[in-house]
Amino acid sequence: MSNTLQIGLAAAGALVLAGLVAHNAWQARKSQPRRPDPAPQASATVSEADGVDAALQATDMLPPGAGPELAGQDDAAPNHPAANGGSAPEHGESDAITQKISLNTGPDRKLLLDPLLDAMATIVLDQGAVVSGEAAQAALPATRRVDTKPFAVEGRNRDSGLWEPPVAGQFYDQFQAGVQLANRSGPLNEIAFSEFTLKTQAVADAINGTPHFPEMLEEVARARELDQFASANDARLSFVLRARQAAWSPGYLQQCAARHGFVPGVLPGRLVLPASVEGAPPLLSLEYDTQAALAEDLEQAALYEALLCLEVTHVHREEQPFARMCEAALHLAKDMDGNITDGNGQRITADTMDAIANDLEGLYNTLEQHDFAAGSALARRLFS
């Protein structure tokens, strides 16, 4: 009988030990980040024509909470009434979320100087004189910035009469130099304007021209007014996608995002949703931890959140970027078993998304009324 008891106890002990081993293995597997599928299948999407409201009604992951972040690029206090707290061209295929939209105007071929945004000085040549493109290029300064502002020189093409950056093989009968009045680093000040005059004078001397400068105090005052306008109307919208349970590996995140049209960006830890016009800035970016993106074993690196961002002033309103942002956030959260929150971890609601959409329409109208339409060359320069 004692042998039978010993055998029973040994069997019970073996079962307990096997259970502990299995439990520990299950816990270890559960704690590992999700990995990409070896043969990914296309996920179901909600057509953009159905609208954001239909997509929101189709999900149960949005209980009441606070709204998303709407702030400047430096993630300081919000500068647009749509929010109450918190906060490079690539091209690829896209699904129903990122269906192509035909725009009336394509991306600007180049960023020409504009009196609305630049302090400009004319450089007059002697009557009948012309300067070759090669000579003009040689006269340009080594650095094309004045303090934190872009500096540029353009010539009037003798044959076409158009203003353009100097090109080899062309000839120019007049020049103009300009410095940007304001950008996200602030307005042009008196010291920077003085540096602008020195650089312009050096260019004029090199091509035997005479510069004519605007009045400094007037340009500095214009720069301050423009900076105030930009500060009041800049907007960067962010949704935080947070993992509910298991973390995500970078490969898993990339695979899920690729199903909805995202492609790798230039920087590690950044995916982008391309615009419908080749060469235009991306519609959205999906950003995650850079160290995880550079990890030797991408399947072991763990991500618990990713940031879905929209540079409102950089994308044409005709692209409907906010509606597509909401749809992308909903689909990604569903595919990856995540929640949509703001920077403070508060869940985002359908009502909040609708309120943001309404406020964005007002922002778009304001920008257009001041000739800084979202997505235009001028807007991208001002809000940079």
Side-chain angles (χ1 to χ4, degrees):
M1 183 174 179
S2 80
N3 288 339
T4 303
L5 179 61
Q6 289 177 353
I7 293 173
L9 291 174
L15 288 175
V16 171
L17 181 60
L20 288 174
V21 171
H23 178 74
N24 290 336
W26 178 78
Q27 288 286 358
R29 182 176 180 83
K30 183 180 178 182
S31 64
Q32 288 183 342
R34 296 173 182 261
R35 300 179 181 181
D37 297 329
Q41 300 295 324
S43 62
T45 60
V46 178
S47 171
E48 185 175 0
D50 295 336
V52 177
D53 292 337
L56 290 168
Q57 293 171 2
T59 181
D60 59 353
M61 62 179 67
L62 296 175
E69 303 162 296
L70 186 58
Q73 189 177 23
D74 58 359
D75 291 331
N79 51 21
H80 188 267
N84 296 320
S87 64
E90 289 90 359
H91 188 70
E93 295 297 326
S94 59
D95 59 8
I97 292 179
T98 57
Q99 66 181 11
K100 299 302 181 183
I101 299 177
S102 298
L103 299 182
N104 295 329
T105 57
D108 302 272
R109 181 172 60 89
K110 53 192 174 185
L111 304 183
L112 298 174
L113 292 173
D114 193 294
L116 186 65
L117 186 55
D118 300 288
M120 297 172 59
T122 58
I123 302 176
V124 180
L125 304 177
D126 292 338
Q127 187 173 5
V130 293
V131 175
S132 68
E134 291 84 352
Q137 290 177 340
L140 298 178
T143 59
R144 308 296 169 82
R145 299 192 76 82
V146 170
D147 191 23
T148 60
K149 308 295 183 290
F151 170 83
V153 175
E154 296 175 348
R156 188 174 67 183
N157 191 296
R158 179 191 61 182
D159 298 323
S160 68
L162 300 177
W163 290 95
E164 63 186 20
V167 177
Q170 300 297 314
F171 291 89
Y172 302 93
D173 57 13
Q174 190 172 329
F175 291 85
Q176 60 187 13
V179 60
Q180 192 164 314
L181 291 169
N183 56 16
R184 280 175 170 163
S185 65
L188 187 78
N189 57 31
E190 290 86 348
I191 295 176
F193 187 90
S194 298
E195 183 182 346
F196 161 63
T197 61
L198 292 175
K199 281 197 171 186
T200 302
Q201 184 67 61
V203 172
D205 291 342
I207 60 176
N208 296 319
T210 302
H212 298 272
F213 296 101
E215 206 281 322
M216 180 183 70
L217 294 181
E218 292 181 0
E219 295 303 293
V220 170
R222 279 210 307 139
R224 290 171 180 161
E225 291 178 0
L226 193 56
D227 179 65
Q228 291 175 356
F229 167 80
S231 299
N233 294 282
D234 198 358
R236 186 175 192 260
L237 184 63
S238 300
F239 289 163
V240 182
L241 300 174
R242 299 185 189 274
R244 291 200 207 186
Q245 298 179 4
W248 311 314
S249 69
Y252 178 79
L253 176 66
Q254 293 169 6
Q255 184 182 77
C256 291
R259 295 170 183 163
H260 302 293
F262 286 84
V263 298
V266 176
L267 301 176
R270 188 171 188 264
L271 305 173
V272 298
L273 184 63
S276 63
V277 178
E278 187 174 1
L283 296 182
L284 306 171
S285 64
L286 185 63
E287 302 168 9
Y288 56 96
D289 183 58
T290 303
Q291 292 183 348
L294 296 174
E296 294 183 3
D297 189 350
L298 293 180
E299 293 188 356
Q300 294 300 321
L303 299 171
Y304 293 92
E305 67 177 34
L307 201 63
L308 184 63
C309 302
L310 166 62
E311 287 280 1
V312 176
T313 55
H314 287 207
V315 183
H316 288 279
R317 72 188 301 180
E318 291 88 347
E319 293 271 17
Q320 300 181 1
F322 181 66
R324 299 168 78 176
M325 180 184 188
C326 293
E327 290 180 336
L330 290 167
H331 293 312
L332 289 171
K334 180 179 180 181
D335 288 354
M336 300 189 298
D337 189 25
N339 292 324
I340 308 171
T341 74
D342 66 7
N344 297 320
Q346 302 257 346
R347 301 279 282 277
I348 292 174
T349 68
D351 289 341
T352 302
M353 289 185 177
D354 289 339
I356 293 293
N358 291 333
D359 285 337
L360 286 179
E361 288 302 310
L363 175 61
Y364 285 133
N365 293 336
T366 299
L367 292 172
E368 291 174 2
Q369 290 167 5
H370 290 80
D371 296 323
F372 287 101
S376 66
L378 287 178
R380 297 200 304 270
R381 289 179 60 200
L382 176 61
F383 300 103
S384 64

